[in-house]
Amino acid sequence: MEEVARALAASKSAVAFTGAGVSAESGVPTFRGAGGLWERYRPEELATPEAFERDPDLVWRWYKWRQELIYAADPNPAHLALAELERLGVLKAVITQNVDGLHRKAGSRRVVELHGNIWRVRCTSCGREFPVEKPVGEIPPRCPICGGLLRPAVVWFGEPLPRGAWEEALSLASSADFMLVVGTSGVVYPAAHIPRIAKRNGAVIAVVDPGETALDDIADFKIRGKAAEILPRLVAEVRRCLT
């Protein structure tokens, strides 16, 4: 921990790369960790353009269930620790695969959302996007401008990542000298390319996760444990290094 903190405190362009494990500790189930009714569905059966075209009501019922869980959730100590590292001037950005918006809610200012945001919807007819502040009411929701069918503004299987977010993530990864990889299995591509790009460009990689990940092979440091327990301790160590 002390060695990671020293390297992080000495960095000039540190970036965090986060996954579902960060938000799981806020009570938000991982993408594949559904419950009840949803256990009989695979995410690939619900999170695709084809599934939405076939049965938008079913897809929206699933997303409303997810919205309700996220709406009731608060940022946990891991989210708050990353926001604090940014406030301290150590962390330059958070690149996340999460769609829940909890990094921003915790106070992180520069957040790159590779997979979109569940609190935005996009019209399948006119293409306009709108923010939503709470779980949708009507299912399926309709565009207030043209009446077209709205869909969650998230990336589904088989869809490209948002170009702007991807280019920003590539730029941050290419210039990073330290990358803190937290709560991700490292198996979802193309997002999982980001830490590998950082490594190829000389960044120190620190992986924080309770178990083994597919990114362990590039890790200079591996800290086993829950993000909500590890990251506040890391912040405390970084503060000591900065004083």
Side-chain angles (χ1 to χ4, degrees):
M1 182 74 75
E2 292 176 6
E3 200 172 347
V4 174
R6 284 196 298 271
L8 182 53
S11 70
K12 302 299 181 186
S13 53
V15 177
F17 178 77
T18 70
V22 173
S23 292
E25 295 173 65
S26 288
V28 178
T30 60
F31 189 71
R32 299 173 192 281
L37 165 69
W38 303 112
E39 287 180 354
R40 56 195 179 92
Y41 294 96
R42 293 184 302 119
E44 294 86 341
E45 295 172 341
L46 296 168
T48 68
E50 295 77 17
F52 188 72
E53 185 176 350
R54 183 170 59 247
D55 193 344
D57 282 38
L58 175 66
V59 172
W60 261 116
R61 286 202 303 275
W62 186 49
Y63 272 94
K64 181 175 182 176
W65 172 76
R66 295 181 66 201
Q67 284 181 335
E68 288 169 345
L69 290 175
I70 294 167
Y71 190 71
D74 291 314
N76 65 57
H79 295 109
L80 297 172
L82 292 171
E84 179 63 9
L85 287 173
E86 185 182 22
R87 192 191 68 77
L88 290 171
V90 173
L91 198 66
K92 304 308 177 188
V94 174
I95 303 169
T96 188
Q97 300 167 87
N98 298 339
V99 300
D100 51 46
L102 288 176
H103 282 301
R104 293 187 193 279
K105 194 174 179 181
S108 290
R109 293 181 295 277
R110 189 173 184 185
V111 181
V112 182
E113 295 172 321
L114 288 178
H115 293 159
N117 192 303
I118 202 169
W119 299 114
R120 294 192 65 81
V121 293
R122 182 167 68 249
C123 181
T124 57
S125 296
C126 69
R128 290 182 176 90
E129 281 200 13
F130 307 93
V132 291
E133 296 182 356
K134 59 183 180 180
V136 295
E138 175 194 14
I139 290 180
R142 293 281 176 176
C143 177
I145 305 299
C146 75
L149 194 61
L150 293 173
R151 58 159 283 179
V154 298
V155 177
W156 283 334
F157 289 98
E159 293 185 325
L161 301 187
R163 184 172 180 178
W166 179 244
E167 290 178 351
E168 186 177 4
L170 287 177
S171 176
L172 286 165
S174 299
S175 60
D177 58 3
F178 187 104
M179 183 166 281
L180 188 60
V181 179
V182 187
T184 177
S185 60
V187 299
V188 177
Y189 284 87
H193 283 303
I194 294 299
R196 296 188 181 278
I197 290 168
K199 180 69 173 182
R200 285 202 300 269
N201 284 274
V204 171
I205 307 294
V207 172
V208 177
D209 202 272
E212 295 182 356
T213 80
L215 295 170
D216 287 356
D217 63 308
I218 62 168
D220 298 283
F221 301 101
K222 288 177 277 191
I223 304 177
R224 298 301 186 215
K226 293 181 178 180
E229 297 172 1
I230 298 297
L231 293 189
R233 290 169 49 200
L234 181 61
V235 171
E237 290 290 344
V238 168
R239 280 205 192 96
R240 277 194 279 273
C241 294
L242 293 174
T243 55

